[in-house]
Amino acid sequence: MLAALLTAGAARLEWPVAGDLTLQAGIVLLLVFCMHTHALPAPAPPSDAVAQPSLGRRLWVLLIPFGLVLLVVYVVESTVSAWSAVYLRQTLTASLAVAPLAYAAYQAGTVIGRAAADRLVQKLGAVAVVRTAALLAAGALAALAAAPSWPFAVLAAGAVGLGASVLAPLCLASAARLSPTASEAVLARLNLFNYVGVVTGGALSGLLGSTGHFRLAYALPATLVILVPAAARHFTRPSNSARMESLPQTL
């Protein structure tokens, strides 16, 4: 958010790009010098007596709904973060000082959404939160695609961040519960869908934008997000018996 606002301010003051990047690099260095180290607990020595659970085929099947949701989320993330400024500039004819504001609004929505996610899940349940967030993100993406002017697009981008931001954490948390004894391996496999989503979203949006169809670049992810509520029923905390059934037989 800060970087986007600094970029907008630098464009407003007609600073050279090199000066803006130098200022942001200075902020990063300041953050580096302010960091503190923390001691981590020593890892347990490896033991041949305890067999490490492996991911069986059944668990891979159970991961598919979460992986597809995560893929869609990162398609949206890549599309908004990589191309929203270009969209405002080229399609909505916004000035250089205004173009970064859509990304700033998206990040602001992301912060608010993730800060409120835990409390919403406690009150409404994960299924209701996933369905509501997905519908909000889909509607906001459609509004972004049809935005008549840049202020409307900035508000829509903020709403996209508000809705899409809660899906990835809930997706990872729910997937990790499938096999608590192998949660790190589960999350590592699930992150493969992140990379596919980022590459797909960025490449597809850039391709459509280069042909002058940036509005379509935001309309297509909206149609994908509409499918997310169909997977919402998987975002429940499984019972102990269900967990045991999902564990592969390793011994």
Side-chain angles (χ1 to χ4, degrees):
M1 289 168 55
L2 178 61
L5 293 175
L6 283 175
T7 301
R12 179 71 176 178
L13 297 173
E14 297 182 353
W15 287 4
V17 175
D20 179 33
L21 293 178
T22 301
L23 176 61
Q24 296 190 32
I27 294 175
V28 173
L29 287 176
L30 180 62
L31 291 174
V32 170
F33 288 121
C34 291
M35 289 181 180
H36 297 279
T37 58
H38 301 275
L40 297 176
S47 174
D48 296 334
V50 180
Q52 295 297 319
S54 61
L55 297 182
R57 290 183 178 179
R58 186 176 182 183
L59 193 56
W60 267 111
V61 172
L62 294 175
L63 279 177
I64 290 176
F66 301 109
L68 293 177
V69 171
L70 208 59
L71 187 151
V72 171
V73 169
Y74 278 90
V75 166
V76 174
E77 159 71 23
S78 180
T79 301
V80 177
S81 62
W83 298 103
S84 60
V86 182
Y87 172 58
L88 262 67
R89 177 66 175 166
Q90 292 187 0
T91 304
L92 302 180
T93 62
S95 66
L96 290 175
V98 165
L101 296 184
Y103 180 68
Y106 174 76
Q107 292 296 339
T110 298
V111 171
I112 295 171
R114 292 194 174 169
D118 286 342
R119 186 167 297 180
L120 290 174
V121 170
Q122 291 172 3
K123 288 184 176 181
L124 305 176
V127 174
V129 171
V130 168
R131 287 174 176 165
T132 304
L135 292 176
L136 173 61
L141 282 167
L144 186 59
S149 59
W150 70 261
F152 192 90
V154 170
L155 292 176
V160 172
L162 194 63
S165 61
V166 305
L167 296 176
L170 290 179
C171 192
L172 295 172
S174 298
R177 297 190 192 106
L178 293 174
S179 180
T181 58
S183 59
E184 292 182 354
V186 168
L187 296 180
R189 303 304 188 274
L190 197 60
N191 273 326
L192 294 175
F193 293 90
N194 294 8
Y195 309 133
V196 176
V198 169
V199 172
T200 302
L204 182 60
S205 300
L207 179 63
L208 291 172
S210 64
T211 58
H213 296 89
F214 259 128
R215 293 189 185 275
L216 186 59
Y218 290 102
L220 287 179
T223 62
L224 294 177
V225 178
I226 291 177
L227 302 177
V228 170
R233 62 187 180 87
H234 296 281
F235 285 75
T236 56
R237 186 185 298 273
S239 62
N240 290 333
S241 60
R243 290 177 184 175
M244 294 303 297
E245 290 176 359
S246 67
L247 285 174
Q249 300 297 324
T250 58
L251 297 178

